[in-house]
Amino acid sequence: MKHIRPLVKRAPPCFFLADRGAGRDPLAILPHLRRGSGVVLRDYDAGDRAAFAQKMANMARMHGLFLLVAGDAALAQKIRAQGLHLPQWHLLRMGRTQIGRLRATCGPGAILTAAAHDRTALRHAAFLGVDAAFVSPVFSTSSHPQAVSLGPHRLARLMEATNIPVYALGGLNSQTMRRLPPGLAGCAAISGFADPLSRRALLGHF
């Protein structure tokens, strides 16, 4: 039987990807998340990203949420986030030395996750020793309408080919959650958290 690297014990089973570019205020979603849920701050190009990140960190602590900052280890350390999330383009530029530096910047106990859209990225994530991979898009998604979705069967094959804990991301809602393969570490979504029915399905699945 294939050995799956254990997921960091305190990592949550469900992540909300917060991005104001999605056309909604992510801060309005946070109070509706279950305590212990995760949030990934994206908003890469926002001029006020640092200030917004601090607001999100304050609210995450208030509601008992687990916060990762995407793509900026210094910002993650500054706001005392629980870790760092790497977009795939960032992941593929990294070597083990650079990953070690990112972990050192984030501080002891921080976790490191990465986005992976294909087998090559997932293999590189395993080589670098990240703690978990967000594999996407599993289903068709409005945030990336041109992307070809993996579907549950290809997702299952990718999971079988790696020892990294995998989170499913992309097009998850109350209907598509039922089609996910077993063995996932958890799930992640953007717009799925805006709809109460889908939000309940996401938070209750794992």
Side-chain angles (χ1 to χ4, degrees):
M1 180 179 294
K2 180 170 66 73
H3 172 69
I4 300 293
R5 189 187 309 161
L7 185 62
V8 178
K9 287 183 179 179
R10 62 196 182 99
C14 196
F15 279 92
F16 165 51
L17 272 61
D19 192 336
R20 287 175 290 179
R24 57 182 60 86
D25 179 10
L27 294 179
I29 300 290
L30 267 58
H32 298 284
L33 301 179
R34 182 178 302 160
R35 292 185 72 86
S37 297
V39 180
V40 177
L41 171 62
R42 299 204 306 179
D43 248 20
Y44 298 108
D45 301 320
D48 64 341
R49 193 182 193 218
F52 185 72
Q54 188 61 66
K55 288 181 182 178
M56 181 158 285
N58 294 342
M59 185 171 285
R61 280 190 281 274
M62 182 186 307
H63 293 283
L65 304 174
F66 187 102
L67 178 63
L68 304 181
V69 172
D72 191 333
L75 181 58
Q77 190 276 335
K78 180 179 179 180
I79 66 171
R80 294 184 290 129
Q82 281 71 46
L84 178 71
H85 177 72
L86 297 177
Q88 179 170 295
W89 66 266
H90 197 172
L91 168 77
L92 293 176
R93 295 180 180 180
M94 293 287 103
R96 284 179 169 168
T97 299
Q98 292 97 322
I99 287 292
R101 290 172 183 161
L102 290 179
R103 286 191 182 277
T105 300
C106 291
I111 73 163
L112 181 64
T113 65
H117 307 304
D118 52 43
R119 191 180 297 266
T120 298
L122 197 55
R123 187 181 297 119
H124 192 60
F127 170 74
L128 295 178
V130 304
D131 296 306
F134 288 25
V135 175
S136 69
V138 179
F139 302 106
S140 297
T141 171
S142 58
S143 62
H144 294 85
Q146 305 304 321
V148 177
S149 58
L150 295 167
H153 300 298
R154 287 181 63 195
L155 173 61
R157 289 198 295 272
L158 287 173
M159 291 166 58
E160 187 59 34
T162 187
N163 69 338
I164 298 178
V166 168
Y167 285 80
L169 168 64
L172 298 185
N173 55 45
S174 58
Q175 299 301 314
T176 57
M177 290 292 293
R178 303 172 186 175
R179 300 172 55 199
L180 290 176
L184 287 161
C187 61
I190 305 174
S191 59
F193 282 100
D195 171 64
L197 184 61
S198 293
R199 185 166 61 239
R200 284 195 296 270
L202 287 160
L203 295 174
H205 190 83
F206 293 94

